[in-house]
């Protein structure tokens, strides 16, 4: 396994295309980050003009992930994480949440965006007791992901697999299911799967905005029904309350009554 921080190899010096909006950079913009370009801000503003609730979805998704990781560290005893499709660093990244609770936690981030690679040093800042590493790979290549992750993680030990707003980029649902199954098959009993994605059938205004975005020439993101999102957890034991709007997954005590958003997620245990 690696040292606390690992410097990724250049991904063939791929050029960052700043002429076309990119979902990771737009998401970063909605989360209040600075790692984006005017084309991303324009696309993000155009989207939010049609559907202002997208900012709520983005921030609720990040809060959902924070609560998932907190559960995994505190209640499930997980000390290593494989975060596929991590996107650009903002606040409350997986390693920050996990290592704040357990300094020895080890995290592998996976993404194939050259801009994420350019910011990998920010992602790779780790506690001295733990480790973080970055893998330059596509979600559709689970074999490469697993082989590279094994250099930092001990995949014979329970692992938290995080697929946050990434499976929507895999257009074919059967292929997306196959990716999840392959990754989880490689992990031992006691591992957990965290998935959240934009959901169809909840908010027609959101669907109109997303369909318009997908037809704009940007990298498309496919909304899925709640039943399809739930299907990613087949064969696993869902943690209560199951697959729900991300705002309703174990909200923090004393928080306002959570609103329903068109972003569903859940967390499940591999028996």
């Amino acid at each position: 396994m690696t040292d606390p921080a690992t410097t990724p190899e250049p991904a063939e010096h791929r050029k960052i295309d700043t002429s076309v909006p990119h979902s990771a950079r737009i998401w970063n913009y909605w989360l209040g980050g600075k790692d984006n370009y005017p084309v991303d801000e324009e696309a993000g503003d155009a989207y939010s003009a049609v559907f202002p609730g997208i900012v709520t979805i983005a921030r609720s998704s990040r809060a959902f992930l924070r609560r998932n990781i907190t559960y995994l560290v505190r209640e499930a005893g997980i000390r290593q994480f494989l975060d596929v499709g991590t996107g650009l660093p903002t606040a409350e990244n997986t390693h920050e949440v996990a290592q704040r609770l357990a300094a020895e936690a080890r995290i592998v981030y996976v993404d194939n965006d050259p801009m994420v690679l350019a910011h990998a040093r920010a992602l790779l800042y780790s506690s001295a007791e733990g480790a973080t590493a970055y893998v330059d790979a596509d979600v559709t290549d689970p074999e490469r992901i697993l082989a590279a992750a094994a250099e930092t993680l001990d995949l014979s030990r329970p692992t938290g697999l995080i697929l946050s707003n990434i499976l929507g980029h895999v257009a074919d649902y059967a292929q997306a299911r196959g990716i999840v199954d392959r990754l989880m098959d490689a992990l031992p009993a006691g591992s957990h799967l965290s998935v959240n994605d934009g959901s169809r059938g909840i908010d027609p205004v959101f669907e109109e905005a997303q369909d318009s975005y997908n037809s704009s020439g940007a990298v498309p993101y496919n909304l899925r029904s709640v039943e399809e999102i739930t299907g990613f957890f087949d064969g696993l034991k869902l943690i209560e309350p199951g697959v729900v709007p991300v705002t309703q997954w174990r909200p923090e005590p004393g928080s306002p009554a959570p609103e329903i958003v068109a972003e569903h997620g859940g967390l499940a245990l591999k028996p």
Side-chain angles (χ1 to χ4, degrees), residues 40-271:
D40 305 305
E41 295 182 15
E42 291 170 10
D45 289 342
Y47 195 120
S48 60
V50 176
F51 179 61
I54 189 61
V55 175
T56 298
I57 285 179
R59 295 179 181 180
S60 298
S61 172
R62 180 51 61 106
F64 164 84
L65 179 59
R66 183 189 71 243
R67 296 195 302 275
N68 268 209
I69 296 168
T70 299
Y71 172 90
L72 289 173
V73 174
R74 285 181 173 169
E75 300 188 44
I78 298 295
R79 292 296 183 269
Q80 53 181 22
F81 296 84
L82 178 56
D83 186 340
V84 182
T86 181
L88 289 160
T90 50
E92 297 291 89
N93 299 294
T94 297
H95 75 284
E96 292 173 321
V97 178
Q99 292 182 345
R100 185 165 63 235
L101 300 171
E104 72 275 19
R106 306 177 75 87
I107 296 90
V108 169
Y109 290 107
V110 180
D111 210 296
N112 71 334
D113 187 307
M115 189 168 180
V116 176
L117 180 61
H119 288 81
R121 288 189 183 278
L123 279 173
L124 292 177
Y125 180 78
S126 173
S127 66
E129 300 90 340
T132 33
Y134 175 85
V135 173
D136 179 33
D138 191 276
V139 66
T140 59
D141 192 355
E143 302 305 327
R144 172 174 169 76
I145 290 171
L146 290 167
E151 297 179 11
T152 299
L153 308 179
D154 178 356
L155 297 183
S156 68
R157 296 175 51 219
T159 301
L161 173 62
I162 297 169
L163 296 163
S164 179
N165 288 293
I166 184 63
L167 294 172
H169 289 298
V170 182
D172 184 79
Y173 179 63
Q175 182 186 12
R177 285 281 299 268
I179 290 167
V180 175
D181 291 346
R182 176 65 190 98
L183 292 171
M184 287 304 297
D185 284 347
L187 303 179
S191 295
H192 287 70
L193 171 65
S194 171
V195 172
N196 62 285
D197 265 311
S199 46
R200 189 172 289 277
I202 307 298
D203 190 330
V205 180
F206 178 34
E207 293 169 21
E208 178 184 354
Q210 187 61 48
D211 291 343
S212 176
Y213 173 85
N214 288 351
S215 64
S216 71
V219 177
Y221 178 87
N222 303 278
L223 303 179
R224 292 203 160 99
S225 69
V226 177
E227 291 74 19
E228 288 174 321
I229 295 172
T230 304
F232 291 126
F233 298 100
D234 279 1
L236 306 176
K237 181 180 178 182
L238 277 165
I239 306 300
E240 290 293 333
V243 177
V244 295
V246 291
T247 49
Q248 298 185 349
W249 196 91
R250 299 193 172 210
E252 291 161 350
S255 59
E259 61 181 298
I260 295 176
V261 295
E263 170 90 7
H264 278 66
L267 180 67
L269 165 71
K270 181 175 181 177

